[in-house]
Amino acid sequence: MQGYNEEDYLLLSGIQHFNFCRRQWALIHIEQQWEENVRTIEGNHLHRKADQPMIREKRGDKLVVRALPVHSRELGITGICDVVEFVRDPLGVPLAGEEGTYLPFPVEYKRGKPKRNDSDHAQLVAQVMCLEEMLVCEISKGYFYYDEIKHRVEVIITASDRERVRASLQEMRHYFERNHTPKAKAGPHCQSCSLQHICVPEILNKKSVSSFIESRIAE
Amino acid sequence: MKKLLNTLFVTMPDTYLSLDGENIVVKQEESILARYPLHNLEAVCTFGYSGVSPGLMGACATRNIDLTFMTRSGRFLARVTGESRGNVVLRKEQYRISDDDRRSARVARNMIIGKIYNHKWILERATRDHQLRIDMDRMKKVSASLTEIMKQVREVEELDILRGLEGTAAVQYNSVFDELILQQKDDFYFHGRHKRPPLDNVNALLSFAYTLLSNDMKSALEAVGLDAYVGFLHRDRPGRESLALDVMEELRGVYADRFVLSLINKKLIHGTGFYRKENGSVMMDDDTRKIVLKAWQERKQDKIIHPYLNEKMSWGLVPYSQALLLARHIRGDLDEYPPFLWK
Ligand code: SF4
């Protein structure tokens, strides 16, 4: 299969940044100009990975695996799934060291309550696509688990979801290969952006520097 | 804009700084003098040969807290820097501009415009505020000629011509600088600029203020991912922070000179706080240095409206905002570099 080399993999978590704001993604993933809070979030992810290498938990027909590293050579991404549930299913695939056949479903943990948010959604879809490629199977759904209401929500993954993720990744690739940070489209979302102080989106809406200098000198 | 945090100045030479959890501990012999939480600090600057534990150096490096060592007289010695922040692309473009005289000149000329503009308005303000004390004719003449030079600078595309014009403007400004000293004239006078070594009180103060400013400028440039050592107007020389010196040009007058003038004119410092060494160089005593550092720190907290960004910020963030704007120009987001034009 044709695909990307490991050293060119993008971080799966970037899809969420990218959908939130292309520039935010580029600042973090191309320029590595993250602020402390973003760094901490990414850092925690890595920690969990190191601390809990594939803890398997059996619950009846289910096998629950935490902090599972996933990747897709075809998409050129790598990341970590919070939780993947393997459910016994005659239509599933065999797993190393286990009896029977299983189907995997990623469960992404979210702080707070459900909110309609496409950036989270794309992330889950990308996880599904990684799992499909790694396990050679087809996965129809995933879940969000909201810790505030201690409740999970099922998400059906459609062909057009997959298409959207592919399109996003293609665009990310395009910027990544040219090392290009797209200009800011400042908007209300900037208010909740942790990179606001680095990005300073207002600068891009300013008048030209030439006219600023000319008018000042003429005083 | 980001928030301005504190700088910790350590002026006692026989102290030792170490890390305790999330705090800096300042020790002398075995006794603990003070303890400061790291998260409130932007920079630590020591004068004299204070020791610092490797643990604290590491903590500063990972948190981007600038740790600098100076001699007691304020000469730069060394600096602890962490892993440099990403963005190779930005730096490469900076190097490309630096290698190209014409492109360098186009950026550098705006910094020089900033310098001359600010000098002009320092003079204009003085004529307005102290009409009865100042030789108005001389001031107005110098101010007019600075405007003329500025207009020429705007067209320059050659570095040598730019340096020439900058020199002419500096001579003009220096010729009336002494007029701006309104108090304690017996102890504080300006008969020309000499730096190595400073031979009078005013030059000693200016040198010290420029060191503090260049130190802030250097950290600001590095914080936005630029290389402080590769400049446009100042050519590369090993160990010289050319870009910091470039951007500093526009801030010397408005930031450092005005600071020095206010120390003198408000009588915060006195002639007795200075002494002359065998070689004729003038130094300030420990108490005076403490007063100067404290005033510097307070000055940084004062608020201004940034002329281009039109945003309220503290003076202490001006070096950072200029570094940020320069990076924006280098990466192509802004048509030119907007200098800090104060009025
Ligand atoms: S401040 Fe706005 S434009 Fe800049 S990265 Fe954040 S969301 Fe994007």
Side-chain angles (χ1 to χ4, degrees):
Chain A
M1 178 178 33
Q2 227 229 320
Y4 294 94
N5 291 323
E6 274 177 44
E7 61 267 30
D8 296 328
Y9 281 1
L10 298 173
L11 284 183
L12 201 154
S13 55
I15 296 174
Q16 192 186 339
H17 300 139
F18 191 78
N19 284 357
F20 176 73
C21 167
R22 283 160 170 63
R23 185 176 173 85
Q24 191 202 56
W25 168 79
L27 289 172
I28 298 171
H29 295 263
I30 298 180
E31 300 193 16
Q32 317 209 323
Q33 295 212 7
W34 49 69
E35 291 232 293
E36 202 48 57
N37 44 358
V38 178
R39 193 204 301 241
T40 313
I41 293 165
E42 305 264 326
N44 286 347
H45 257 289
L46 296 178
H47 250 129
R48 275 210 306 250
K49 177 185 171 184
D51 293 348
Q52 304 180 297
M54 302 263 273
I55 296 175
R56 289 182 181 193
E57 204 183 304
K58 281 196 180 166
R59 288 188 207 150
D61 266 357
K62 271 189 200 166
L63 194 62
V64 182
V65 179
R66 283 169 209 284
L68 180 68
V70 293
H71 65 264
S72 157
R73 181 171 295 278
E74 192 201 332
L75 300 173
I77 51 173
T78 176
I80 294 161
C81 294
D82 285 336
V83 166
V84 177
E85 285 186 2
F86 293 89
V87 179
R88 231 183 225 277
D89 191 312
L91 298 175
V93 289
L95 287 182
E98 299 294 334
E99 300 242 325
T101 55
Y102 291 83
L103 274 180
F105 302 102
V107 187
E108 178 72 2
Y109 277 62
K110 289 284 152 211
R111 254 167 290 159
K113 309 192 256 271
K115 45 187 171 308
R116 189 65 212 149
N117 188 334
D118 283 317
S119 38
D120 292 349
H121 186 79
Q123 184 125 341
L124 192 65
V125 177
Q127 292 179 7
V128 160
M129 292 167 83
C130 286
L131 288 166
E132 287 180 328
E133 184 182 313
M134 290 171 77
L135 294 158
V136 198
C137 63
E138 268 173 48
I139 304 168
S140 55
K141 62 185 181 190
Y143 301 93
F144 285 123
Y145 180 84
Y146 294 94
D147 71 349
E148 193 169 302
I149 54 166
K150 308 239 178 305
H151 189 68
R152 63 159 61 179
V153 174
E154 186 182 275
V155 180
I156 302 294
I157 314 282
T158 66
S160 71
D161 288 336
R162 289 165 217 259
E163 233 4 88
R164 264 207 301 279
V165 166
R166 276 205 188 85
S168 288
L169 283 168
Q170 218 164 48
E171 213 183 319
M172 284 158 79
R173 245 330 126 191
H174 182 66
Y175 290 127
F176 195 73
E177 270 155 20
R178 290 185 305 142
N179 265 316
H180 176 71
T181 304
K183 291 199 175 153
K185 281 212 189 73
H189 62 309
C190 296
Q191 291 313 315
S192 60
C193 172
S194 56
L195 296 187
Q196 221 190 111
H197 305 298
I198 289 172
C199 173
V200 195
E202 304 85 43
I203 292 180
L204 296 152
N205 303 331
K206 290 269 180 284
K207 63 177 173 186
S208 86
V209 178
S210 323
S211 62
F212 163 71
I213 295 174
E214 302 292 347
S215 68
R216 283 279 171 134
I217 296 183
E219 281 160 353
Chain B
M1 204 41 71
K2 70 173 198 164
K3 257 193 12 224
L4 181 69
L5 303 174
N6 296 323
T7 300
L8 173 65
F9 290 110
V10 183
T11 53
M12 268 186 294
D14 49 350
T15 44
Y16 188 79
L17 311 182
S18 59
L19 181 70
D20 177 18
E22 290 292 305
N23 299 290
I24 289 190
V25 178
V26 184
K27 275 190 218 151
Q28 193 169 38
E29 314 254 285
E30 282 313 297
S31 60
I32 292 179
L33 296 184
R35 183 187 290 271
Y36 304 97
L38 280 176
H39 68 89
N40 282 333
L41 290 178
E42 178 151 279
V44 179
C45 186
T46 75
F47 294 85
Y49 301 98
S50 309
V52 174
S53 76
L56 179 59
M57 290 189 200
C60 288
T62 51
R63 288 174 181 73
N64 276 313
I65 296 173
D66 203 56
L67 177 57
T68 331
F69 301 89
M70 307 267 200
T71 64
R72 277 180 70 197
S73 58
R75 199 165 46 78
F76 174 77
L77 279 176
R79 178 154 184 248
V80 175
T81 334
E83 214 180 306
S84 85
R85 295 245 221 141
N87 219 346
V88 191
V89 186
L90 179 68
R91 281 178 193 234
K92 279 183 85 174
E93 190 58 20
Q94 178 191 352
Y95 299 154
R96 274 186 218 112
I97 298 176
S98 173
D99 279 341
D100 179 331
D101 278 6
R102 203 160 283 257
R103 290 184 71 194
S104 291
R106 283 195 209 121
V107 182
R109 70 183 179 192
N110 285 7
M111 295 159 178
I112 297 307
I113 284 177
K115 176 177 187 169
I116 303 175
Y117 181 95
N118 292 336
H119 282 176
K120 178 194 158 89
W121 286 101
I122 290 172
L123 303 184
E124 286 287 340
R125 239 194 215 203
T127 59
R128 206 178 58 208
D129 295 348
H130 307 287
Q131 285 181 14
L132 299 174
R133 300 238 4 222
I134 280 173
D135 183 343
M136 295 287 276
D137 283 352
R138 253 182 102 197
M139 285 295 201
K140 286 289 178 190
K141 251 187 219 138
V142 171
S143 165
S145 80
L146 290 181
T147 304
E148 275 319 301
I149 301 172
M150 235 183 324
K151 285 180 183 151
Q152 292 174 44
V153 169
R154 186 81 182 120
E155 308 296 325
V156 171
E157 297 217 321
E158 276 159 79
L159 284 171
D160 284 339
I161 299 178
L162 181 58
R163 291 194 187 102
L165 288 170
E166 193 263 319
T168 315
V171 169
Q172 291 277 330
Y173 171 73
N174 285 342
S175 75
V176 290
F177 189 77
D178 194 47
E179 297 262 339
L180 304 173
I181 300 169
L182 302 168
Q183 296 286 351
Q184 318 187 71
K185 287 290 257 199
D186 288 342
D187 289 325
F188 297 97
Y189 45 79
F190 184 82
H191 297 158
R193 176 81 183 121
H194 32 79
K195 345 174 189 176
R196 288 192 201 91
L199 299 173
D200 57 49
N201 298 350
V202 173
N203 271 288
L205 283 168
L206 287 174
S207 291
F208 191 62
Y210 293 155
T211 313
L212 294 177
L213 179 57
S214 77
N215 198 33
D216 288 350
M217 200 63 243
K218 208 157 36 168
S219 332
L221 289 167
E222 265 153 33
V224 302
L226 290 167
D227 186 334
Y229 290 85
V230 175
F232 305 136
L233 183 66
H234 292 85
R235 299 280 78 183
D236 305 345
R237 198 183 286 165
R240 172 156 85 177
E241 60 277 16
S242 303
L243 188 64
L245 295 175
D246 285 358
V247 191
M248 225 180 101
E249 289 295 350
E250 62 194 73
L251 298 177
R252 278 177 200 272
V254 72
Y255 206 131
D257 297 2
R258 284 179 65 238
F259 169 72
V260 167
L261 287 167
S262 80
L263 289 175
I264 300 168
N265 289 340
K266 289 189 183 147
K267 296 190 184 167
L268 290 171
I269 51 165
H270 304 282
T272 48
F274 295 78
Y275 60 94
R276 191 175 289 278
K277 300 228 293 197
E278 297 69 26
N279 64 354
S281 67
V282 169
M283 308 262 292
M284 56 186 117
D285 64 23
D286 288 352
D287 286 341
T288 304
R289 188 176 315 108
K290 242 182 247 169
I291 294 168
V292 174
L293 288 172
K294 187 162 167 277
W296 181 261
Q297 208 38 23
E298 283 164 5
R299 175 104 177 94
K300 280 192 186 180
Q301 308 294 335
D302 288 349
K303 295 279 191 284
I304 44 131
I305 306 264
H306 189 283
Y308 179 71
L309 294 171
N310 223 340
E311 188 182 321
K312 194 166 173 188
M313 63 175 74
S314 37
W315 265 111
L317 275 184
V318 169
Y320 177 81
S321 71
Q322 293 314 111
L324 188 83
L325 289 167
L326 179 59
R328 282 310 173 77
H329 168 59
I330 292 174
R331 59 196 288 169
D333 289 344
L334 289 172
D335 56 326
E336 288 188 56
Y337 165 68
F340 186 83
L341 302 179
W342 175 85
K343 206 166 109 174

